[in-house]
Amino acid sequence: MMQNTGFEKEILNGLLASRKAISPKFLYDEKGSELFESIMKLEEYYPTQAETEILENYASEMAEWIGPHAVVIEPGCGNCMKVRHLLKALIEPVSYVGMDISKEILVREASRLHDEFPHLPVFAVPADYTENFSIPGEAIRSGAKKVVFFPGSTIGNLQPAEAMAWLKKMADTVGKRGGLLIGVDTKKDPLLMNLAYDDPQGVTAEFNLNLLDRLNRELQASFDRRQFYHSAFYDEDKERVEMHLVSKIPQTVKVKDQVIQFEKDETIHTESSYKYSPKEFSLMARRAGFDLKNLWQDSRRLFCVYYFERI
Ligand code: AVI
């Protein structure tokens, strides 16, 4: 029998659990990453517009807080779009270290960045931001401040305990007086959040349903995507937006050799996106060893960018 891959094991464990769930990291195959790029351009998906507005307006203030000669580390950098605002404003940054799970995209984007900032040493580290990673020794200069840049409220996709563990790991990574510049979505009118995660054009629905196509292709599954629909809503008690794939009918689906049963209306929970008030997030970061230096919000007060330093 063929050895189970980590991917297959994780998916099957999730689908055989009493409450079916799949980690959101599996939403990002090639098509999923393209669809996420389209989501970020949607009028309804406020986090990208709000965070971009903050970076455009306040990058120079952020650069002042960070100070000269910083090593900028970006876990999960994707197309490195947002960091450009910061790199333009920073005073003589020492280096940029971009990290992403997709090696191909990473190498392409790092080389683009290098063309735009020819004097900045750019390093590409293929790694999953939730796993252990190391910063190349050549990227670091003795005495230089390390700053982790983590935009997009990606931290919201981690469970609070995982987010806490990740913050602690970042505190270790940047070391004493190192910095963390992080974008985090705030709590707001649920109607606005529901619309952002269930847009009328159906782009987010397609992003979610694409997971079934991926399982069909990569795990020889037999999902009929017409028998599932996308559902996304803010849960006030859990303080998070949840994304689900809902079975329209009672059905059985095969994944590899495993038969998975679905009742009508049973769901696969595919993503949680936690929302934090500035007070909650600052407290959480403090418990992880970070001191809040400043925070910036967009004009509609929908999103927050924080600058912390390691205590
Ligand atoms: C990547 N992440 C921060 C997005 C979010 O808002 O949770 C993913 C996403 N899911 C649906 N729309 C966007």
Side-chain angles (χ1 to χ4, degrees):
M1 207 176 116
M2 249 188 19
Q3 189 79 34
N4 275 0
T5 62
F7 171 57
E8 181 185 330
K9 260 194 203 153
E10 244 188 279
I11 298 290
L12 284 175
N13 283 344
L15 290 177
L16 291 167
S18 56
R19 286 178 184 214
K20 296 178 172 57
I22 293 180
S23 163
K25 69 182 175 201
F26 297 124
L27 291 166
Y28 301 88
D29 62 350
E30 206 183 324
K31 182 84 194 291
S33 302
E34 275 170 26
L35 285 163
F36 182 56
E37 293 287 324
S38 307
I39 288 176
M40 289 195 288
K41 291 184 189 129
L42 290 171
E43 180 83 40
E44 293 81 4
Y45 191 69
Y46 63 83
T48 309
Q49 307 150 30
E51 188 174 44
T52 305
E53 181 195 317
I54 298 171
L55 291 170
E56 279 171 0
N57 288 341
Y58 302 111
S60 49
E61 269 185 37
M62 294 169 189
E64 261 177 58
W65 277 101
I66 293 170
H69 314 308
V71 173
V72 179
I73 302 156
E74 187 177 7
C77 58
N79 62 10
C80 314
M81 222 36 231
K82 293 173 183 165
V83 80
R84 286 167 160 82
H85 297 287
L86 182 67
L87 292 176
K88 276 183 203 153
L90 280 174
I91 305 144
E92 295 174 33
V94 168
S95 58
Y96 170 77
V97 182
M99 230 172 260
D100 207 276
I101 201 158
S102 159
K103 197 174 170 185
E104 261 174 43
I105 297 176
L106 182 65
V107 170
R108 187 187 66 213
E109 297 302 331
S111 113
R112 271 193 199 155
L113 203 64
H114 181 65
D115 292 344
E116 268 175 62
F117 298 89
H119 300 297
L120 179 74
V122 173
F123 296 85
V125 177
D128 177 348
Y129 72 89
T130 58
E131 307 282 327
N132 285 336
F133 53 78
S134 47
I135 315 292
E138 315 91 271
I140 300 162
R141 192 197 291 165
S142 134
K145 182 190 267 185
K146 288 187 218 140
V147 177
V148 165
F149 178 59
F150 200 50
S153 203
T154 306
I155 196 160
N157 294 136
L158 301 177
Q159 295 298 318
E162 293 168 346
M164 186 62 167
W166 187 85
L167 286 169
K168 283 186 178 152
K169 204 159 70 183
M170 290 309 109
D172 286 347
T173 303
V174 298
K176 255 204 151 79
R177 294 195 313 279
L180 171 67
L181 187 65
I182 185 166
V184 186
D185 199 9
T186 56
K187 294 189 170 99
K188 59 188 65 66
D189 182 353
L191 285 177
L192 215 65
M193 292 190 273
N194 293 345
L195 204 59
Y197 289 81
D198 195 4
D199 60 281
Q201 296 91 319
V203 183
T204 313
E206 192 53 36
F207 173 63
N208 201 5
L209 285 159
N210 175 58
L211 182 59
L212 300 181
D213 297 342
R214 178 176 187 184
L215 300 186
N216 285 349
R217 202 177 49 247
E218 294 182 31
L219 295 178
Q220 297 81 51
S222 63
F223 285 100
D224 177 352
R225 56 138 73 204
R226 291 164 306 182
Q227 302 302 353
F228 288 85
Y229 67 88
H230 162 76
S231 159
F233 52 88
Y234 182 66
D235 184 320
E236 303 241 9
D237 295 329
K238 297 190 175 124
E239 304 176 307
R240 65 190 193 193
V241 172
E242 290 187 5
M243 222 165 67
H244 293 260
L245 288 164
V246 189
S247 178
K248 291 182 188 170
I249 52 164
Q251 55 183 317
T252 53
V253 175
K254 258 187 143 189
V255 180
K256 286 277 179 171
D257 291 329
Q258 190 71 52
V259 175
I260 316 280
Q261 308 268 11
F262 285 89
E263 287 173 21
K264 183 178 182 296
D265 299 328
E266 190 178 353
T267 81
I268 310 173
H269 182 178
T270 50
E271 184 184 71
S272 293
S273 198
Y274 284 85
K275 309 299 171 190
Y276 295 96
S277 71
K279 205 170 160 191
E280 285 165 343
F281 193 74
S282 312
L283 200 67
M284 188 164 154
R286 181 152 198 103
R287 289 204 192 106
F290 284 111
D291 189 26
L292 178 65
K293 293 294 175 187
N294 206 1
L295 64 83
W296 297 269
Q297 286 190 291
D298 57 297
S299 49
R300 294 194 292 163
R301 295 181 150 260
L302 299 177
F303 199 89
C304 216
V305 175
Y306 304 78
Y307 180 60
F308 298 99
E309 274 185 9
R310 165 94 188 271
I311 303 161

